[in-house]
Amino acid sequence: MYKNLTIASVLGAVAVVLGAFGAHALKNKLSPEALNSFETAVKYQMYHALFLLFINVSNQITTSFKHKISLLVIIGIILFSGSIYAIQLLSVPAKYIWFITPLGGLLLILGWFLTSFYFLKKVIKNE
């Protein structure tokens, strides 16, 4: 659990750093469209870092599910946000890694669905 909390905290801190970097250093270097894409990556990274914190401090979720959800979300962040960072910061052509961003997004969605599935099972069990 503490490993996931540590990772979530680092991901949150990196999102703040990259957000500030984007707002200041990249403002005049990227096109408005590219900057918007970069900001989307930062937002999704932060949203999901907070989601990871919530999941891993919750007493309502078993350790096994915390690990499953966290794995999906961490890999999702790396693939989704990381691929956008690579395109915008490292000038990696999108045509070479086009499939990575949606794959990361899919993993993020699966993390949310796994969470909702877990809670839905609890609701059904208690009724």
Side-chain angles (χ1 to χ4, degrees):
M1 178 178 74
Y2 290 112
K3 180 177 79 172
N4 291 335
L5 289 170
T6 302
I7 292 168
S9 300
V10 169
L11 287 169
V14 169
V16 172
V17 169
L18 289 173
F21 178 69
H24 299 290
L26 297 178
K27 189 175 178 180
N28 297 322
K29 294 185 185 336
L30 294 179
S31 69
E33 182 180 289
L35 188 58
N36 186 46
S37 178
F38 182 85
E39 289 171 352
T40 297
V42 171
K43 287 178 197 174
Y44 274 60
Q45 181 173 333
M46 180 56 82
Y47 298 152
H48 288 89
L50 293 171
F51 178 52
L52 283 171
L53 288 173
F54 164 76
I55 291 300
N56 285 285
V57 299
S58 175
N59 293 329
Q60 305 299 314
I61 303 171
T62 64
T63 302
S64 173
F65 260 81
K66 286 179 185 182
H67 289 307
K68 290 173 187 171
I69 295 164
S70 294
L71 185 62
L72 286 170
V73 172
I74 291 166
I75 294 171
I77 291 170
I78 291 167
L79 296 179
F80 181 84
S81 294
S83 63
I84 295 172
Y85 298 145
I87 291 166
Q88 302 307 333
L89 297 177
L90 304 175
S91 300
V92 173
K95 67 180 180 178
Y96 295 131
I97 62 170
W98 65 268
F99 59 92
I100 295 176
T101 309
L103 178 59
L106 177 63
L107 293 176
L108 295 173
I109 292 166
L110 288 174
W112 284 99
F113 274 130
L114 187 59
T115 304
S116 61
F117 173 74
Y118 181 84
F119 287 127
L120 183 61
K121 278 180 28 181
K122 295 279 189 183
V123 168
I124 292 169
K125 186 176 179 181
N126 288 331
E127 288 185 359

